[in-house]
């Protein structure tokens, strides 16, 4: 199944709903429907209000276009700017953070796989020394994908694992290091302090590291996305967003609202656990999936 | 949890209560605010819509608007509606009949099934004296078996897995058989996370369920999830069926909207909530207490329970004696600090108090306790037992040893002296010492 098909699955339900009103032209009904779509995608109250306000205006100007297209255009305009990322550093150090169960480890495995496929070398470092069997999970991925992994035993200081992983990558002259961290709710202050320590230690192992910090969010997340990201950023400068699990019926609208509010680029989206299921973010496809798109 | 919703509703209630006369437009403004509060708390938009419609209908009746305190009446209606939404009775697990009883855990990836499996085993063993076996039927996620094995050990439960078997239904069958032989009376089956739109995996789950014939099937839902939680719940219920839910990651900032929508949409109860990081972090869900929290009335029962858990009769008698003889020393002080810390973060505890009883502007920092503990820890035993010997040079040493300053040491000693003075006073007032009983 390719990405388009997967996203389509989540759109189908909406399209059925949309079909019902299509013939009826524009009225309060459409407005209400648009509101429903936006709210149901977790866009949140504030952004929904903003979009609807623009929608009313745009509608008067473009009576000929389908209202779905208008909605898609408005949303696309609201997305934060998305410059491509590259780093001259060698190794380029990427730290991956997020709450428990967001999909960090799977994301790392798939990201490393993509890097290898592009002909670059990568080391995966497991600084999740808290969760039971976290390093086994990453080690298994490494074995499957033929990618080197640096782990240590449960309970080791995550900073020291990070330090060693970066040093190892330097010695082996690898292009990338990706550091997995333990999932944590940002309300747990002790764990968050630990995270900023890991960040500082990375900088000691190599100047300028980590070169990017990916915050991974579960696509089903609700209005907690914004405070969550804000709290993470109090402790560690997040540079990019990854949204996972968008192959279900969730749309990730709250991540959209958060990325916009904080002006952070959404870098990748996860649409499953398969080899090709971590894809580079495409704004148009993303907002089309929210609205139900034009098939 | 629910803090944000409680705040917003509280504001709306305040605006309403102050009004002697309510117009239709007052009410519609208030309803708009309530709808917004619900949506921001991730309550499903359909549930929010219905909620507001029902409240509006009840609130615009003649009797309410013409009553002496229309604002209060509306507040009351909203309160009742929230209690109704959550359901009023706490529903426990139904584990009756012939053991072994089977509990099946299902849900999306990353919702917290494996952690919940271990926590549930811990809770049932501790509270109901059950002998639990947890079963690794998640054969998808790499190292899921290892994770469960480690966590089962932490929970003190038996563990079953079969690393060569590829069929989770077969693992489940074998596990239940073995549990019967080993006199385990509860079998908790941890299944792989799956999406409700993945028909292959849903079929597999159906087969596991058919083999397990569970007494309870619990849907494990991420407490952080938004509008989609309802879709997930409905799909799982239709395709597999479950008897209740466990809401995870309900610490601090969870909006809890899933909790408010779940029952309204599925008609099934929430049975547990998951909190914190450790294996002890599972609590039975009590809707009326939850409603209390949402409505700013606190959760005194929950607070008392927490205190009860930490309570140790022997220690209490000792402490009482110490107070009587005025020999309360820094070592005792330290023990009390540790006890309070174990009850959870101060902010969490404060959230369980009714709004009016919370200290103003409080963003309490549990780290103060940690600092005090560190200070006491770097004292010698003699200093702890006879704090009066702590002179200038000892103070310097203590400050150095704990990474604090001398003025921190002074502050701690002052706190200790104040506490001791208070105790002295209590001793002289008859009956006050029974506070500690």
């Amino acid at each position: 199944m390719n990405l388009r098909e997967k996203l389509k699955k989540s759109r189908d339900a909406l399209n059925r709903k949309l079909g019902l009103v299509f013939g009826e032209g524009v009225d309060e009904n459409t407005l209400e429907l648009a509101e429903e779509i936006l709210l149901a995608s977790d866009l949140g109250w504030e952004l929904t209000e903003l979009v609807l306000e623009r929608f009313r205006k745009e509608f008067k100007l473009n009576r000929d276009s389908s209202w779905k297209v208008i909605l898609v255009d408005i949303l696309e305009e609201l997305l934060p700017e998305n410059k491509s990322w590259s780093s001259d550093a060698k190794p380029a150090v990427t730290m991956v953070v997020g709450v428990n169960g967001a999909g960090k480890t799977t994301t790392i495995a798939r990201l490393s796989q993509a890097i290898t496929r592009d002909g670059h070398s990568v080391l995966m470092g497991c600084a999740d020394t808290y969760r039971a069997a976290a390093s086994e999970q990453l080690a298994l991925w490494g074995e499957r994908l033929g990618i080197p992994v640096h782990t240590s035993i449960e309970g080791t200081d995550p900073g020291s694992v990070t330090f060693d992983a970066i040093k190892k990558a330097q010695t082996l002259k690898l292009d990338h290091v990706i550091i997995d961290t333990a999932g944590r709710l940002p309300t747990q202050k002790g764990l968050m302090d630990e995270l900023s320590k890991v960040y500082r230690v990375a900088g000691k192992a190599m100047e300028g590291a980590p070169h990017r910090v990916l915050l991974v969010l579960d696509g089903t997340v609700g209005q907690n996305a914004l405070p969550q990201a804000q709290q993470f950023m109090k402790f560690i400068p997040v540079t990019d967003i990854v949204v996972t699990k968008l192959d279900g019926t969730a749309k990730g609208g709250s991540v959209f609202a958060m990325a916009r509010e904080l002006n952070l680029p959404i870098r990748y989206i996860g649409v499953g656990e398969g080899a090709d299921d971590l894809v580079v973010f495409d704004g148009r496809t993303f907002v089309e999936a929210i609205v139900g798109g034009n098939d | 949890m629910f803090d944000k919703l409680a705040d917003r509703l509280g504001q709306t209630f305040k605006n309403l209560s102050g009004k002697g006369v309510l117009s239709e437009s007052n009410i519609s403004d208030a309803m708009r605010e309530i709808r917004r509060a619900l949506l921001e708390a991730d309550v499903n938009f359909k549930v929010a819509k219905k909620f507001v419609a029902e409240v509006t209908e009840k609130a615009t009746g003649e009797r309410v608007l013409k009553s002496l305190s229309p604002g209060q009446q509306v507040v009351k209606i909203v309160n009742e509606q929230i209690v109704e939404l959550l359901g009023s009775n706490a529903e426990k697990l139904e584990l009756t009949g012939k053991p072994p009883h089977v509990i099946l855990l299902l849900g999306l990836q990353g919702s917290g099934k494996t952690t919940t499996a271990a926590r549930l085993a811990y809770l049932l063993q501790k509270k109901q004296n059950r002998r639990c076996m947890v079963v690794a039927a998640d054969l998808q996620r790499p190292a899921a078996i290892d994770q469960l094995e480690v966590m089962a050990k932490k929970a003190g439960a038996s563990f079953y897995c079969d690393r060569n078997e590829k069929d989770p239904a077969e693992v489940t069958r074998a596990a239940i058989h073995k549990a019967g032989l080993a006199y385990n009376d509860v079998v908790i089956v941890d299944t792989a996370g799956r999406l409700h739109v993945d028909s292959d995996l849903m079929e597999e789950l159906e087969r596991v369920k058919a083999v397990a014939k569970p007494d309870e099937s619990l849907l494990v839902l991420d407490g952080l999830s938004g509008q989609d939680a309802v879709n997930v719940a409905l799909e799982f219920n239709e395709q597999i069926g479950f008897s209740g839910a466990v809401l995870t990651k309900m610490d601090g900032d969870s909006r809890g909207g899933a909790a408010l929508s779940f029952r309204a949409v599925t008609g099934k109860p929430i049975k547990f909530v998951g909190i914190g990081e450790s294996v002890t972090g599972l609590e039975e869900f009590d809707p009326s207490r939850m409603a209390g929290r949402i409505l700013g009335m606190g959760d005194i029962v929950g607070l008392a329970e927490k205190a009860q858990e930490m309570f140790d009769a022997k220690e209490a008698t000792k402490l009482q004696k110490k107070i009587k003889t005025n020999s309360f020393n820094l070592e005792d002080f330290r023990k009390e600090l540790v006890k309070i810390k174990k009850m959870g973060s101060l902010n969490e505890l404060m959230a369980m108090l009714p709004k009016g009883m919370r200290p103003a502007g409080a963003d309490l920092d549990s780290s103060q306790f940690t600092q005090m503990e560190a200070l006491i820890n770097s004292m010698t035993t003699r200093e702890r037992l006879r704090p009066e010997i702590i002179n200038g040079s000892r103070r310097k040493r203590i400050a150095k040893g704990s990474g604090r300053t001398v003025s921190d040491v002074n502050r701690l000693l002052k706190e200790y002296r104040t506490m001791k003075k208070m105790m002295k006073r209590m001793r002289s007032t008859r009956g006050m010492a029974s506070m500690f009983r």
Side-chain angles (χ1 to χ4, degrees):
Chain A
M1 223 177 354
N2 64 24
L3 167 63
R4 186 159 276 278
E5 278 172 55
K6 285 198 171 176
L7 288 173
K8 187 172 171 293
K9 210 172 354 177
S10 54
R11 283 197 303 251
D12 279 349
L14 273 173
N15 279 336
R16 252 176 277 132
K17 241 189 287 174
L18 295 174
L20 293 174
V21 264
F22 239 169
E24 294 174 20
V26 195
D27 46 30
E28 274 302 308
N29 224 342
T30 312
L31 210 58
E32 199 172 307
L33 206 70
E35 187 189 30
E36 243 177 56
I37 288 174
L38 299 174
L39 287 177
S41 75
D42 283 315
L43 215 56
W45 164 279
E46 256 171 62
L47 192 52
T48 298
E49 291 283 292
L50 177 77
V51 172
L52 286 180
E53 197 181 303
R54 289 199 188 178
F55 182 64
R56 278 190 204 101
K57 278 188 210 142
E58 289 292 317
F59 214 98
K60 276 181 196 149
L61 301 172
N62 305 303
R63 275 186 175 273
D64 302 333
S65 327
S66 128
W67 65 269
K68 282 198 297 181
V69 175
I70 298 175
L71 211 52
V72 167
D73 287 342
I74 296 170
L75 287 172
E76 196 181 8
E77 235 171 77
L78 289 171
L79 275 170
E81 202 185 342
N82 220 350
K83 285 193 204 115
S84 64
W85 179 82
S86 67
S87 172
D88 300 332
K90 192 175 171 174
V93 180
T94 300
M95 243 177 99
V96 180
V97 302
V99 303
N100 319 58
K104 288 178 294 300
T105 308
T106 308
T107 298
I108 288 164
R110 291 318 176 196
L111 191 57
S112 306
Q113 194 182 15
I115 289 171
T116 321
R117 209 167 33 205
D118 289 346
H120 300 291
S121 52
V122 59
L123 173 79
M124 302 191 285
C126 183
D128 180 353
T129 53
Y130 180 80
R131 182 163 62 92
S135 42
E136 282 89 335
Q137 189 183 350
L138 202 64
L140 271 172
W141 273 117
E143 218 170 275
R144 276 189 206 172
L145 304 172
I147 291 170
V149 177
H150 181 79
T151 61
S152 77
I153 53 165
E154 201 183 320
T156 316
D157 174 54
S160 86
V161 187
T162 306
F163 190 90
D164 292 346
I166 295 173
K167 286 294 174 203
K168 194 168 177 181
Q170 280 176 329
T171 319
L172 297 172
K173 298 200 166 38
L174 301 178
D175 301 321
H176 289 270
V177 189
I178 305 180
I179 306 287
D180 192 8
T181 63
R184 63 201 83 213
L185 292 177
T187 43
Q188 311 258 354
K189 187 160 179 302
L191 289 176
M192 294 307 283
D193 285 335
E194 179 196 280
L195 195 60
S196 43
K197 184 186 163 197
V198 174
Y199 179 80
R200 288 195 306 272
V201 170
K204 279 182 190 155
M206 179 185 176
E207 211 180 297
H211 305 94
R212 61 172 172 172
V213 178
L214 300 181
L215 173 64
V216 180
L217 285 124
D218 187 325
T220 61
V221 67
Q223 298 311 306
N224 178 257
L226 179 61
Q228 195 185 111
Q230 281 169 330
Q231 282 158 349
F232 265 104
M233 288 176 81
K234 268 190 212 158
F235 293 90
I236 186 165
V238 172
T239 59
D240 305 75
I241 303 292
V242 180
V243 199
T244 60
K245 305 182 199 173
L246 285 182
D247 44 338
T249 42
K251 302 294 191 313
S254 61
V255 181
F256 177 167
M258 175 272 282
R260 180 186 141 69
E261 184 73 31
L262 303 177
N263 200 19
L264 285 173
I266 302 176
R267 190 64 63 190
Y268 306 102
I269 64 172
V271 289
E273 290 171 348
D276 301 314
D277 289 341
L278 186 74
V279 294
V280 174
F281 176 78
D282 174 60
R284 186 81 189 177
T285 321
F286 182 74
V287 295
E288 272 178 5
I290 287 181
V291 177
N294 270 353
D295 284 323
Chain B
M1 62 190 110
F2 297 125
D3 292 353
K4 191 91 191 242
L5 179 58
D7 281 352
R8 274 211 179 276
L9 285 180
Q11 195 54 43
T12 311
F13 288 169
K14 217 163 123 195
N15 293 341
L16 275 175
S17 313
K19 291 198 168 69
V21 186
L22 276 190
S23 66
E24 298 264 341
S25 85
N26 287 151
I27 290 197
S28 82
D29 284 351
M31 291 309 129
R32 197 180 132 86
E33 280 305 306
I34 288 173
R35 176 161 175 264
R36 176 179 183 175
L38 293 173
L39 288 173
E40 282 182 353
D42 287 327
V43 173
N44 181 265
F45 71 94
K46 285 181 196 150
V47 175
K49 200 172 175 181
K50 191 162 162 257
F51 182 94
V52 170
E54 281 172 10
V55 173
T56 312
E57 198 193 308
K58 287 181 193 163
T60 42
E62 190 92 336
R63 257 191 6 191
V64 174
L65 292 181
K66 292 262 166 74
S67 71
L68 277 174
S69 52
Q72 293 288 6
Q73 294 282 340
V74 176
V75 172
K76 193 169 151 248
I77 292 170
V78 176
N79 285 2
E80 285 167 0
Q81 198 73 25
I82 284 187
V83 173
E84 198 184 308
L85 198 61
L86 282 167
S88 44
N89 294 322
E91 300 205 30
K92 311 245 159 164
L93 290 179
E94 299 255 351
L95 303 177
T96 47
K98 191 171 161 276
H101 309 292
V102 180
I103 303 175
L104 187 68
L105 298 178
L106 33 129
L108 300 181
Q109 291 95 336
S111 57
K113 288 174 297 304
T114 305
T115 307
T116 301
R119 285 173 167 181
L120 195 53
Y122 177 85
L123 187 96
L124 290 176
Q125 303 208 131
K126 188 153 187 257
K127 285 211 167 161
Q128 300 187 10
N129 268 325
R130 305 269 190 180
R131 284 165 48 88
C132 296
M133 171 192 270
V134 291
V135 181
D138 176 356
L139 311 176
Q140 298 275 333
R141 183 161 56 93
I145 297 178
D146 301 323
Q147 188 191 353
L148 189 63
E149 185 169 15
V150 175
M151 295 208 59
K153 203 180 268 172
K154 279 185 192 161
S158 339
F159 171 74
Y160 181 88
C161 75
D162 181 349
R163 288 172 197 272
N164 299 317
E165 181 57 58
K166 294 277 171 281
D167 179 8
E170 194 42 54
V171 172
T172 307
R173 187 204 322 276
I176 294 171
H177 178 69
K178 194 176 167 210
L181 297 177
Y183 301 108
N184 282 299
D185 54 1
V186 179
V187 180
I188 301 169
V189 184
D190 176 31
T191 63
R194 63 201 79 219
L195 279 170
H196 48 295
V197 290
D198 188 330
S199 47
D200 291 348
L201 282 179
M202 288 303 264
E203 254 166 52
E204 177 197 280
L205 188 57
E206 247 183 288
R207 283 194 296 116
V208 173
K209 195 183 172 200
V211 171
K213 297 188 198 69
D215 298 78
E216 290 272 357
S217 313
L218 299 176
L219 179 72
V220 181
L221 262 186
D222 186 335
L224 298 172
S225 60
Q227 299 288 327
D228 198 46
V230 160
N231 298 336
V232 172
L234 283 176
E235 282 297 323
F236 267 94
N237 198 21
E238 192 175 307
Q239 297 183 44
I240 312 291
F242 50 75
S243 53
V246 181
L247 275 186
T248 60
K249 306 179 203 170
M250 289 295 278
D251 330 33
D253 216 39
S254 276
R255 299 303 157 112
L260 284 166
S261 317
F262 182 81
R263 198 192 170 94
V265 173
T266 63
K268 301 276 169 70
I270 292 166
K271 299 203 171 179
F272 298 97
V273 289
I275 291 169
E277 297 278 326
S278 74
V279 74
T280 58
L282 194 70
E283 290 177 8
E284 281 168 349
F285 181 78
D286 185 331
S288 60
R289 274 156 52 183
M290 222 31 87
R293 279 197 190 190
I294 295 174
L295 298 166
M297 299 186 293
D299 180 7
I300 293 289
V301 186
L303 194 58
E305 262 178 19
K306 276 199 179 228
Q308 187 73 34
E309 271 170 35
M310 290 297 133
F311 181 83
D312 178 341
K314 243 194 224 156
E315 285 279 313
T317 327
K318 249 195 230 161
L319 184 64
Q320 214 180 339
K321 216 168 170 183
K322 294 227 166 189
I323 293 169
K324 266 191 192 143
T325 54
N326 202 23
S327 60
F328 182 79
N329 57 36
L330 277 170
E331 184 57 28
D332 304 317
F333 191 47
R334 192 183 64 91
K335 275 188 198 149
E336 293 305 303
L337 283 179
V338 173
K339 250 187 246 167
I340 297 175
K341 252 176 63 184
K342 264 196 198 149
M343 281 170 68
S345 87
L346 277 184
N347 278 323
E348 228 167 81
L349 294 179
M350 285 303 148
M352 296 170 96
L353 285 174
K355 270 234 154 112
M357 278 170 68
R358 284 177 220 168
D363 192 22
L364 291 162
D365 193 353
S366 303
S367 66
Q368 274 189 15
F369 284 177
T370 315
Q371 285 172 19
M372 286 179 162
E373 208 191 321
L375 283 166
I376 299 180
N377 281 342
S378 60
M379 292 175 186
T380 63
T381 319
R382 239 180 74 172
E383 284 164 348
R384 290 184 211 178
L385 298 180
R386 295 180 51 206
E388 57 277 8
I389 65 166
I390 301 176
N391 57 19
S393 87
R394 283 178 192 268
R395 275 170 218 230
K396 259 189 222 155
R397 195 206 74 243
I398 293 165
K400 218 170 172 187
S402 56
R404 313 301 309 171
T405 61
V406 172
S407 60
D408 286 327
V409 182
N410 290 339
R411 204 173 310 128
L412 171 81
L413 290 172
K414 202 177 148 201
E415 299 254 350
Y416 160 73
R417 278 196 298 268
T418 321
M419 199 157 171
K420 203 165 171 182
K421 241 185 241 159
M422 248 170 58
M423 288 178 171
K424 202 171 174 187
R425 227 175 292 144
M426 266 169 20
R427 192 164 47 106
S428 48
T429 325
R430 241 185 86 212
M432 275 297 265
S434 63
M435 254 179 76
F436 286 88
R437 197 171 290 150

